[in-house]
């Protein structure tokens, strides 16, 4: 009977020792696999993050370029409008009897260019305000319609505020002078 217990104990001890070795080996191998899987996932996430960063940089560059283009175009439009406003003001206030031919020709040529430039980069609101102002100027210049300096400035301010909004500038500007 003692021999049976000794043999049974040896078998159990050897199986238990093997189980302990197998358990330890499984734990060690599981840890290695887990680390490799984690490294692979990190690498995938890093690649995806890098792709997203590049896409974001591209979008930022496009947005910055578009914003700069708007500024350049709006600056040109303001130059054209300022020149004709100066002429309209002089005639409406009686400082001049008629429009200077060179200014009128410049306005006639450049207003259509400005329309095209604005159409390329701006919102419909900017287009509407530009058209409203130019139509008003044309009625005064070519059709003899009455127009006050206040009305002209108001139309120009509406266009400028539409441009400001299109550029992301939230507040509006208003003329607060006396003239």
């Amino acid at each position: 009977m003692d021999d049976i217990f000794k043999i049974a104990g040896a078998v159990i001890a050897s199986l238990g020792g093997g189980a302990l070795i197998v358990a330890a080996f499984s734990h060690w191998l599981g840890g290695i696999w887990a680390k490799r899987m984690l490294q692979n996932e990190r690498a995938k996430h890093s690649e995806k993050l890098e792709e997203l960063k590049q896409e974001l940089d591209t979008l930022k560059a496009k947005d910055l370029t578009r914003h700069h283009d708007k500024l350049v175009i709006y600056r040109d439009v303001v130059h054209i409008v300022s020149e004709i406003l100066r002429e309209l003001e002089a005639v409406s206030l009686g400082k001049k009897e008629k429009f200077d031919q060179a200014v009128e020709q410049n306005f006639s040529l450049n207003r259509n260019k400005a329309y095209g430039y604005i159409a390329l980069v701006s919102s419909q609101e900017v287009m509407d305000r530009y058209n409203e102002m130019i139509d008003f100027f044309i009625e005064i210049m070519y059709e003899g319609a009455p127009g006050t300096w206040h009305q002209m400035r108001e139309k120009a301010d509406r266009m400028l505020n539409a441009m400001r909004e299109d550029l992301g500038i939230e507040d509006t500007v208003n003329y607060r002078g006396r003239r």
Side-chain angles (χ1 to χ4, degrees):
M1 194 62 158
D2 265 347
D3 287 337
I4 293 175
F5 283 127
K6 284 181 184 178
I7 293 172
V11 169
I12 291 173
S14 71
L15 288 177
L20 183 61
I21 291 171
V22 168
F25 180 71
S26 296
H27 178 70
W28 174 76
L29 190 58
I32 289 175
W33 284 346
K35 286 179 185 175
R36 283 188 182 165
M37 287 175 26
L38 187 59
Q39 284 176 341
N40 288 341
E41 286 299 313
R42 281 186 183 156
K44 286 179 188 175
H45 289 298
S46 291
E47 286 176 23
K48 185 65 176 172
L49 183 60
E50 192 58 38
E51 287 175 16
L52 291 173
K53 283 180 182 178
Q54 288 175 355
E55 286 178 32
L56 182 60
D57 287 345
T58 301
L59 290 173
K60 286 190 326 189
K62 284 181 181 178
D63 193 45
L64 191 61
T65 299
R66 186 166 190 239
H67 187 78
H68 180 264
D69 290 348
K70 282 183 184 184
L71 283 173
V72 169
I73 288 169
Y74 290 169
R75 187 178 304 129
D76 289 345
V77 170
V78 168
H79 177 75
I80 293 166
V81 170
S82 295
E83 189 173 288
I84 197 62
L85 269 175
R86 181 188 70 223
E87 195 70 12
L88 287 168
E89 176 189 29
V91 172
S92 73
L93 296 177
K95 293 180 181 179
K96 293 174 86 175
E97 282 188 36
K98 62 181 188 170
F99 300 107
D100 183 275
Q101 203 60 15
V103 173
E104 185 276 326
Q105 285 177 342
N106 190 41
F107 170 71
S108 184
L109 288 171
N110 288 320
R111 70 184 167 88
N112 291 321
K113 275 195 236 179
Y115 178 88
Y117 294 153
I118 291 173
L120 289 174
V121 297
S122 70
S123 67
Q124 184 62 47
E125 181 67 19
V126 173
M127 291 299 303
D128 291 345
R129 297 298 73 82
Y130 177 78
N131 289 333
E132 176 186 326
M133 181 190 66
I134 294 300
D135 289 348
F136 185 69
F137 291 173
I138 288 172
E139 289 171 2
I140 294 170
M141 290 179 67
Y142 301 122
E143 298 169 7
T148 66
W149 172 240
H150 175 75
Q151 291 170 312
M152 292 176 229
R153 186 180 57 239
E154 183 180 276
K155 302 258 188 235
D157 283 348
R158 288 181 55 153
M159 181 197 66
L160 288 172
N161 282 319
M163 288 174 172
R164 289 170 58 86
E165 184 179 333
D166 193 41
L167 290 168
I169 303 170
E170 307 243 343
D171 60 329
T172 59
V173 293
N174 297 298
Y175 179 75
R176 293 185 179 166
R178 295 182 308 126
R179 310 280 275 110

